[in-house]
């Protein structure tokens, strides 16, 4: 890791969130999960909340195999993927990927993509993908659109509106 990550006692994911805060981000979107969380990492979402900046993070795609952070941290908007049938994707053991700390769900099943993950750099291939990494930026985009319409709204107000008005 970069020296500033190592010296700051943050995991790489939380260092990136902290850096986004320092750079003046209005909304932070994280499409990564980890189970490697240090004590210093817990202060980053608290700092974001104090600065009234929503942090939107994807839940694990397989709750049985992946870590649940940063989505599982206090004040973070945890996003799960859902299909057009309004069902969660299937995780290990053949059960729906129901994550306890889910704040909202967004389309993230069988989403059209460009590029081939198994062959990087091939942008001429179209496909379909499933996961919270696809649902998370949609939620962040909804918050960004709300911030554009209501520029004086704080991140906390935007998040409250999201959780109270989502069907």
């Amino acid at each position: 890791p970069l020296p500033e990550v190592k010296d700051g006692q943050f995991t790489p994911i939380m260092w990136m969130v902290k850096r986004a805060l320092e750079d003046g981000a209005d909304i932070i979107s994280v499409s990564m999960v980890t189970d490697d969380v240090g004590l210093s990492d817990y202060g980053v979402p608290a700092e974001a909340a104090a600065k009234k900046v929503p942090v939107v993070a994807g839940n694990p795609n397989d709750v049985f195999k992946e870590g649940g952070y940063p989505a599982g941290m206090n004040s973070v908007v945890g996003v799960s993927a859902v299909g057009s049938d309004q069902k969660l994707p299937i995780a290990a053991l053949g059960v729906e990927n129901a994550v306890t700390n889910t704040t909202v769900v967004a389309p993230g099943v069988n989403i059209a993509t460009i590029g081939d993950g198994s062959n990087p750099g091939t942008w001429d291939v179209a496909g379909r993908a499933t996961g919270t990494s696809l649902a998370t930026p949609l939620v962040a985009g909804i918050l960004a659109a709300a911030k554009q319409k209501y520029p004086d709204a704080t991140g906390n107000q935007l998040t409250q509106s999201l959780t109270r008005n989502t069907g």
Side-chain angles (χ1 to χ4, degrees):
L2 295 170
E4 47 197 37
V5 177
K6 190 174 180 183
D7 294 343
Q9 303 295 316
F10 298 102
T11 57
I13 292 174
M14 294 315 292
W15 176 82
M16 289 184 280
V17 172
K18 186 166 181 52
R19 179 67 189 265
L21 277 171
E22 291 168 358
D23 289 347
D26 289 326
I27 297 162
I28 299 172
S29 178
V30 182
S31 288
M32 301 167 72
V33 297
T34 186
D35 59 359
D36 179 26
V37 180
L39 189 57
S40 298
D41 291 332
Y42 287 96
V44 177
E47 180 182 349
K51 291 183 175 181
K52 299 178 173 63
V53 175
V55 177
V56 181
N59 282 321
N61 290 315
D62 191 330
V63 72
F64 299 105
K65 296 181 180 178
E66 299 175 348
Y69 300 102
M73 298 173 126
N74 286 338
S75 75
V76 175
V77 177
V79 180
S80 286
V82 67
S84 59
D85 59 359
Q86 298 183 3
K87 292 187 179 183
L88 299 168
I90 302 301
L93 307 177
V95 299
E96 285 187 339
N97 192 46
V99 180
T100 304
N101 59 6
T102 299
T103 308
V104 294
V105 297
V109 176
N110 203 23
I111 302 296
T113 62
I114 296 176
D116 181 2
S118 62
N119 189 8
T122 57
W123 291 96
D124 57 344
V125 178
R128 300 240 174 226
T130 294
T132 63
S133 290
L134 303 163
T136 301
L138 293 175
V139 173
I142 290 166
L143 289 172
K147 179 72 174 171
Q148 184 176 16
K149 181 167 176 114
Y150 304 104
D152 294 332
T154 67
N156 297 342
Q157 289 171 323
L158 296 172
T159 301
Q160 286 298 311
S161 179
L162 173 75
T163 60
R164 295 181 192 280
N165 295 307
T166 300

